[in-house]
Amino acid sequence: ENEDAKINETIKKFRIPLDSNHFLLRVLNEGSAVLVSPDNKELWDETADIRETLGSPFFAVVPLRTLEKPQGVIIVDNLVTKKPITESDLELLRAVANHASFAIERSKLTEELQKSYQELEKAYAELRENQEKLVLAEKLSAVGTIAAQIAHEIRNPIVAIGGFARAILRDYDLDENLREKLEIILEETQKIERTIQDALDFSKFSEPEKSLCEIGKTIQDVIIFFEPEIAEKKITVTYEIADDIPKFEYDEQLIRQVLINLFRNSISVLGEGGKIGIKAYKEGEYCWIEFSDNGPGIPEGVGDKIFQPFFTTKPTGTGLGLSISAQIIEAHKGEIWYKNNPVGGVTFYIRLPLKSDEKKGDNK
């Protein structure tokens, strides 16, 4: 280690202007190895500063050159061995220099190849992302085009069919076989109604119409809305609303839609005896909502794709529910994300600002 330190200190002493006619620069540019000894009076005098720096009267210099340009020099002396540097030593030094130059060249080529590969990978990723965006844009355009047609041509008859099925189930004493068939009709019409509503919500999304609302009441209203399905599947729903959450401005209808989408997703994957938990609390300048269930959770590797339009992990559904939810939360200057629970299930986190940045009369 001491020898290495001495060598490093010696190297630091060499400070040669690149535009000078210094001996080492000439060796580098001319490309020939040189042995310095008292026998060559001219070189001996010219290299006095080098000998003084090295502390040795004998030394040899071999240039390091690649195909592109000179890279440096190798300097050897006999300070330790005190043996004379011979022509055979110089030849060996040339061989070492050639190998070192080749290694430098190969290293640079490898570095350039790696850089080119990374740039190619980046370009490919951007191309793939742009292609996905183009496909998505085409899908969104298609949704917008057919949404109005769906509303008029399909929605009204489906609502009528579902209404009649509910009425018959409620008002008539039916045998078990016929009741089961009507329940299937009702269930399927509800699926179609939800699909139509998702498409309409996504295609007709507008900026939130905020008013002063109470988040606890919004959550309780959504729980009441799902009471029949909760009771049917014997799902346990618990909720905790912190007392210190003030009323704040948000679009109640849209935030209710977010919670409805989360409830639908949970209920669809929970079996009998499943659990849903909701917490709302104030932290800093934000209202936090945590929505948890003990279902199967989100598959690994899905990441933020779950909030992309038309992406779904379920065999049925439009893949628009969470995309709409993310769109709504973003429009409120908030955030939504999820984490799978260590003991199973998933928790969605929603963060909404308690103070709106918008001023009354501001049409931005």
Side-chain angles (χ1 to χ4, degrees):
E1 290 183 4
N2 289 335
E3 289 298 326
D4 289 342
K6 288 180 181 178
I7 292 172
N8 288 331
E9 285 299 319
T10 300
I11 292 172
K12 289 178 182 179
K13 292 177 182 178
F14 284 101
R15 292 291 182 268
I16 304 170
L18 295 178
D19 58 352
S20 67
N21 191 35
H22 193 275
F23 168 73
L24 293 179
L25 288 177
R26 289 208 314 276
V27 172
L28 178 60
N29 292 324
E30 292 171 4
S32 300
V34 177
L35 177 60
V36 177
S37 70
D39 295 337
N40 189 327
K41 183 74 167 56
E42 185 178 348
L43 285 182
W44 181 261
D45 293 338
E46 185 180 1
T47 57
D49 62 324
I50 301 175
R51 289 187 284 107
E52 182 180 350
T53 302
L54 294 174
S56 173
F58 297 93
F59 68 92
V61 183
V62 180
L64 289 172
R65 298 177 63 90
T66 62
L67 293 175
E68 290 185 351
K69 60 181 180 179
Q71 300 294 329
V73 294
I74 297 176
I75 303 175
V76 295
D77 59 39
N78 66 346
L79 183 63
V80 176
T81 65
K82 305 299 182 183
K83 294 180 180 180
I85 300 173
T86 64
E87 281 296 331
S88 61
D89 294 330
L90 198 59
E91 192 60 36
L92 178 60
L93 193 56
R94 287 192 188 98
V96 171
N98 287 336
H99 282 291
S101 298
F102 177 73
I104 292 171
E105 185 76 21
R106 186 171 59 181
S107 174
K108 288 192 171 184
L109 288 173
T110 303
E111 186 178 338
E112 289 175 3
L113 183 62
Q114 180 68 22
K115 184 179 178 181
S116 298
Y117 177 74
Q118 290 173 349
E119 289 175 353
L120 186 62
E121 268 194 332
K122 183 181 177 181
Y124 175 71
E126 289 176 353
L127 180 63
R128 184 173 55 190
E129 183 181 353
N130 289 334
Q131 186 177 21
E132 289 174 355
K133 286 179 180 178
L134 182 60
V135 172
L136 179 58
E138 290 175 353
K139 286 183 178 181
L140 297 182
S141 177
V143 169
T145 302
I146 66 172
Q149 297 176 355
I150 289 175
H152 295 291
E153 302 297 333
I154 301 176
R155 190 180 190 185
N156 292 339
I158 290 296
V159 171
I161 292 169
F164 283 126
R166 288 188 190 90
I168 294 172
L169 284 169
R170 184 184 64 243
D171 298 337
Y172 292 89
D173 186 16
L174 306 172
D175 64 72
E176 190 63 28
N177 184 43
L178 186 56
R179 177 171 288 276
E180 284 181 4
K181 291 178 179 178
L182 276 172
E183 286 175 348
I184 291 172
I185 291 173
L186 182 58
E187 183 179 345
E188 294 304 314
T189 55
Q190 288 173 341
K191 287 181 183 178
I192 297 173
E193 285 178 26
R194 285 197 294 267
T195 300
I196 294 169
Q197 190 59 52
D198 283 348
L200 289 171
D201 289 343
F202 189 81
S203 63
K204 292 184 177 181
F205 179 79
S206 58
E207 287 299 311
E209 297 180 5
K210 298 179 182 179
S211 60
L212 206 58
C213 301
E214 185 180 341
I215 195 66
K217 181 180 181 303
T218 304
I219 292 171
Q220 290 170 345
D221 287 346
V222 174
I223 295 173
I224 293 170
F225 178 79
F226 280 99
E227 276 183 350
E229 293 175 64
I230 291 168
E232 183 181 350
K233 296 189 77 171
K234 296 182 174 61
I235 294 172
T236 301
V237 177
T238 58
Y239 64 94
E240 299 175 26
I241 313 296
D243 295 331
D244 62 343
I245 305 176
K247 287 185 177 182
F248 63 99
E249 289 190 351
Y250 61 89
D251 189 319
E252 187 170 27
Q253 185 62 35
L254 291 180
I255 297 301
R256 184 185 287 120
Q257 184 62 48
V258 172
L259 295 170
I260 286 173
N261 290 337
L262 293 176
F263 257 103
R264 280 179 180 166
N265 287 344
S266 291
I267 290 173
S268 69
V269 297
L270 289 175
E272 188 172 308
K275 295 179 180 180
I276 294 174
I278 307 170
K279 293 181 181 179
Y281 55 92
K282 176 181 178 292
E283 188 173 290
E285 298 297 319
Y286 295 93
C287 171
W288 289 73
I289 301 172
E290 296 181 11
F291 187 101
S292 307
D293 67 39
N294 65 341
I298 307 298
E300 288 186 14
V302 168
D304 288 341
K305 288 190 292 185
I306 199 167
F307 296 111
Q308 293 178 1
F310 307 104
F311 182 87
T312 180
T313 59
K314 298 182 291 187
T316 60
T318 61
L320 289 174
L322 286 176
S323 175
I324 293 167
S325 299
Q327 198 175 13
I328 290 170
I329 298 301
E330 185 178 345
H332 282 79
K333 311 297 182 188
E335 294 180 87
I336 180 170
W337 69 93
Y338 75 90
K339 285 184 181 178
N340 280 326
N341 302 325
V343 294
V346 65
T347 298
F348 281 86
Y349 298 87
I350 298 172
R351 191 177 76 164
L352 294 169
L354 292 170
K355 294 181 179 179
S356 176
D357 292 334
E358 299 172 4
K359 296 179 181 179
K360 290 184 178 180
D362 190 355
N363 295 321
K364 288 183 179 179

Short mmCIF file of all heavy atoms in Angstrom, two decimals, residues 1 3 12 18 36 41 48 50 86 106 140 148 152 171 174 197 201 203 223 249 266 275 293 308 357:
data_model
loop_
_atom_site.label_atom_id
_atom_site.label_comp_id
_atom_site.label_asym_id
_atom_site.label_seq_id
_atom_site.Cartn_x
_atom_site.Cartn_y
_atom_site.Cartn_z
N GLU A 1 0.82 -1.21 0.00
CA GLU A 1 0.00 0.00 0.00
C GLU A 1 0.86 1.27 0.00
O GLU A 1 0.53 2.26 -0.66
CB GLU A 1 -0.93 0.01 1.22
CG GLU A 1 -2.03 -1.04 1.14
CD GLU A 1 -2.99 -0.97 2.31
OE1 GLU A 1 -2.83 -0.05 3.15
OE2 GLU A 1 -3.87 -1.83 2.40
N GLU A 3 3.89 1.55 -1.29
CA GLU A 3 4.47 1.71 -2.62
C GLU A 3 3.44 2.31 -3.58
O GLU A 3 3.76 3.18 -4.38
CB GLU A 3 4.95 0.35 -3.15
CG GLU A 3 6.19 -0.19 -2.44
CD GLU A 3 7.39 0.74 -2.61
OE1 GLU A 3 7.51 1.36 -3.69
OE2 GLU A 3 8.18 0.85 -1.67
N LYS A 12 0.96 12.38 -9.66
CA LYS A 12 0.32 13.69 -9.48
C LYS A 12 1.27 14.84 -9.78
O LYS A 12 0.83 15.96 -10.07
CB LYS A 12 -0.22 13.81 -8.05
CG LYS A 12 -1.42 12.93 -7.77
CD LYS A 12 -1.86 13.07 -6.32
CE LYS A 12 -3.05 12.15 -6.02
NZ LYS A 12 -3.46 12.26 -4.59
N LEU A 18 -0.82 20.47 -22.70
CA LEU A 18 -1.03 19.66 -23.89
C LEU A 18 -0.56 20.36 -25.16
O LEU A 18 -0.37 19.72 -26.19
CB LEU A 18 -2.51 19.28 -24.02
CG LEU A 18 -3.05 18.36 -22.91
CD1 LEU A 18 -4.53 18.09 -23.11
CD2 LEU A 18 -2.29 17.04 -22.89
N VAL A 36 15.78 6.08 -21.93
CA VAL A 36 16.57 7.24 -21.53
C VAL A 36 17.70 6.77 -20.60
O VAL A 36 17.44 6.14 -19.57
CB VAL A 36 15.70 8.30 -20.82
CG1 VAL A 36 16.56 9.46 -20.33
CG2 VAL A 36 14.61 8.78 -21.75
N LYS A 41 23.16 11.71 -24.63
CA LYS A 41 23.35 13.00 -23.95
C LYS A 41 22.18 13.96 -24.19
O LYS A 41 21.72 14.64 -23.27
CB LYS A 41 24.66 13.63 -24.45
CG LYS A 41 25.03 14.94 -23.76
CD LYS A 41 25.55 14.66 -22.36
CE LYS A 41 26.22 15.91 -21.77
NZ LYS A 41 25.40 17.09 -21.73
N ALA A 48 15.63 16.02 -17.75
CA ALA A 48 16.07 16.24 -16.37
C ALA A 48 14.91 16.38 -15.40
O ALA A 48 14.93 15.86 -14.28
CB ALA A 48 16.96 17.50 -16.32
N ILE A 50 11.95 15.03 -15.64
CA ILE A 50 11.31 13.73 -15.42
C ILE A 50 12.13 12.89 -14.47
O ILE A 50 11.60 12.25 -13.55
CB ILE A 50 11.11 13.00 -16.77
CG1 ILE A 50 10.24 13.84 -17.71
CG2 ILE A 50 10.47 11.62 -16.55
CD1 ILE A 50 10.08 13.25 -19.10
N THR A 86 17.09 -2.92 -20.31
CA THR A 86 17.68 -3.42 -21.55
C THR A 86 16.69 -3.31 -22.71
O THR A 86 15.50 -3.02 -22.51
CB THR A 86 18.10 -4.89 -21.39
OG1 THR A 86 16.91 -5.67 -21.16
CG2 THR A 86 19.05 -5.04 -20.20
N ARG A 106 -11.07 -1.74 -26.59
CA ARG A 106 -12.21 -2.64 -26.41
C ARG A 106 -13.18 -2.10 -25.36
O ARG A 106 -14.39 -2.19 -25.52
CB ARG A 106 -11.72 -4.03 -26.00
CG ARG A 106 -12.83 -5.07 -25.92
CD ARG A 106 -12.27 -6.45 -25.74
NE ARG A 106 -11.45 -6.55 -24.54
CZ ARG A 106 -10.82 -7.68 -24.17
NH1 ARG A 106 -10.89 -8.75 -24.93
NH2 ARG A 106 -10.12 -7.71 -23.05
N LEU A 140 -60.79 5.15 -26.81
CA LEU A 140 -61.54 6.23 -26.17
C LEU A 140 -62.45 6.93 -27.18
O LEU A 140 -63.58 7.31 -26.87
CB LEU A 140 -60.58 7.24 -25.55
CG LEU A 140 -59.68 6.72 -24.43
CD1 LEU A 140 -58.82 7.84 -23.89
CD2 LEU A 140 -60.50 6.09 -23.32
N ALA A 148 -73.47 7.73 -26.72
CA ALA A 148 -74.81 8.31 -26.90
C ALA A 148 -75.78 7.29 -27.47
O ALA A 148 -76.96 7.22 -27.05
CB ALA A 148 -74.72 9.52 -27.82
N HIS A 152 -79.42 5.71 -25.62
CA HIS A 152 -80.78 5.75 -26.15
C HIS A 152 -81.28 4.38 -26.62
O HIS A 152 -82.45 4.04 -26.43
CB HIS A 152 -80.85 6.74 -27.32
CG HIS A 152 -80.61 8.15 -26.87
ND1 HIS A 152 -81.50 8.85 -26.08
CD2 HIS A 152 -79.56 8.98 -27.10
CE1 HIS A 152 -81.01 10.06 -25.85
NE2 HIS A 152 -79.84 10.16 -26.45
N ASP A 171 -93.84 -8.74 -6.15
CA ASP A 171 -95.29 -8.73 -6.03
C ASP A 171 -95.95 -10.09 -6.22
O ASP A 171 -97.15 -10.24 -5.93
CB ASP A 171 -95.89 -7.75 -7.05
CG ASP A 171 -95.41 -6.32 -6.80
OD1 ASP A 171 -95.01 -6.03 -5.64
OD2 ASP A 171 -95.42 -5.51 -7.75
N LEU A 174 -93.94 -16.81 -6.51
CA LEU A 174 -93.45 -17.64 -7.61
C LEU A 174 -92.83 -18.93 -7.08
O LEU A 174 -92.33 -18.99 -5.97
CB LEU A 174 -92.38 -16.88 -8.41
CG LEU A 174 -92.79 -15.49 -8.93
CD1 LEU A 174 -91.57 -14.79 -9.51
CD2 LEU A 174 -93.89 -15.62 -9.98
N GLN A 197 -73.37 2.51 -17.79
CA GLN A 197 -73.10 3.68 -16.96
C GLN A 197 -71.61 4.01 -16.93
O GLN A 197 -71.22 5.18 -16.99
CB GLN A 197 -73.63 3.45 -15.54
CG GLN A 197 -73.61 4.69 -14.68
CD GLN A 197 -74.45 5.81 -15.27
OE1 GLN A 197 -75.61 5.61 -15.60
NE2 GLN A 197 -73.86 6.99 -15.42
N ASP A 201 -70.13 7.48 -18.07
CA ASP A 201 -69.36 8.29 -17.12
C ASP A 201 -68.00 8.64 -17.69
O ASP A 201 -67.51 9.77 -17.54
CB ASP A 201 -69.17 7.52 -15.80
CG ASP A 201 -70.48 7.41 -15.01
OD1 ASP A 201 -71.42 8.18 -15.31
OD2 ASP A 201 -70.56 6.55 -14.13
N SER A 203 -67.01 8.72 -20.92
CA SER A 203 -67.02 9.55 -22.14
C SER A 203 -67.53 10.95 -21.87
O SER A 203 -67.19 11.89 -22.59
CB SER A 203 -67.89 8.88 -23.20
OG SER A 203 -69.24 8.80 -22.77
N ILE A 223 -72.63 3.32 1.75
CA ILE A 223 -72.84 2.06 2.49
C ILE A 223 -74.32 1.67 2.46
O ILE A 223 -74.67 0.51 2.22
CB ILE A 223 -72.32 2.19 3.93
CG1 ILE A 223 -70.80 2.37 3.93
CG2 ILE A 223 -72.71 0.96 4.76
CD1 ILE A 223 -70.22 2.68 5.31
N GLU A 249 -64.74 21.44 0.25
CA GLU A 249 -65.37 21.50 -1.07
C GLU A 249 -64.94 20.32 -1.96
O GLU A 249 -63.75 20.10 -2.16
CB GLU A 249 -65.02 22.82 -1.77
CG GLU A 249 -65.71 24.02 -1.15
CD GLU A 249 -65.54 25.28 -1.99
OE1 GLU A 249 -64.74 25.24 -2.95
OE2 GLU A 249 -66.20 26.27 -1.70
N SER A 266 -64.95 -4.68 -4.65
CA SER A 266 -64.77 -5.54 -3.47
C SER A 266 -65.87 -6.59 -3.38
O SER A 266 -65.60 -7.78 -3.17
CB SER A 266 -64.73 -4.69 -2.20
OG SER A 266 -63.56 -3.91 -2.15
N LYS A 275 -64.98 -9.10 4.36
CA LYS A 275 -64.93 -7.89 5.18
C LYS A 275 -64.48 -6.69 4.35
O LYS A 275 -63.58 -6.79 3.52
CB LYS A 275 -63.97 -8.09 6.36
CG LYS A 275 -64.41 -9.15 7.35
CD LYS A 275 -63.40 -9.30 8.47
CE LYS A 275 -63.84 -10.37 9.47
NZ LYS A 275 -62.87 -10.53 10.57
N ASP A 293 -60.34 -4.35 1.84
CA ASP A 293 -61.12 -5.59 1.90
C ASP A 293 -60.17 -6.75 2.14
O ASP A 293 -58.95 -6.59 2.08
CB ASP A 293 -61.97 -5.79 0.63
CG ASP A 293 -61.13 -6.04 -0.61
OD1 ASP A 293 -60.11 -6.74 -0.53
OD2 ASP A 293 -61.50 -5.54 -1.69
N GLN A 308 -55.64 2.28 -15.69
CA GLN A 308 -55.74 2.59 -17.10
C GLN A 308 -57.11 2.16 -17.65
O GLN A 308 -57.66 1.15 -17.21
CB GLN A 308 -54.63 1.90 -17.90
CG GLN A 308 -53.24 2.40 -17.59
CD GLN A 308 -52.17 1.65 -18.36
OE1 GLN A 308 -52.48 0.76 -19.15
NE2 GLN A 308 -50.93 2.01 -18.13
N ASP A 357 -57.81 25.03 -4.41
CA ASP A 357 -56.97 26.07 -5.01
C ASP A 357 -57.77 27.05 -5.84
O ASP A 357 -57.31 28.14 -6.16
CB ASP A 357 -55.89 25.45 -5.90
CG ASP A 357 -54.88 24.68 -5.07
OD1 ASP A 357 -54.72 25.03 -3.88
OD2 ASP A 357 -54.27 23.75 -5.60
#
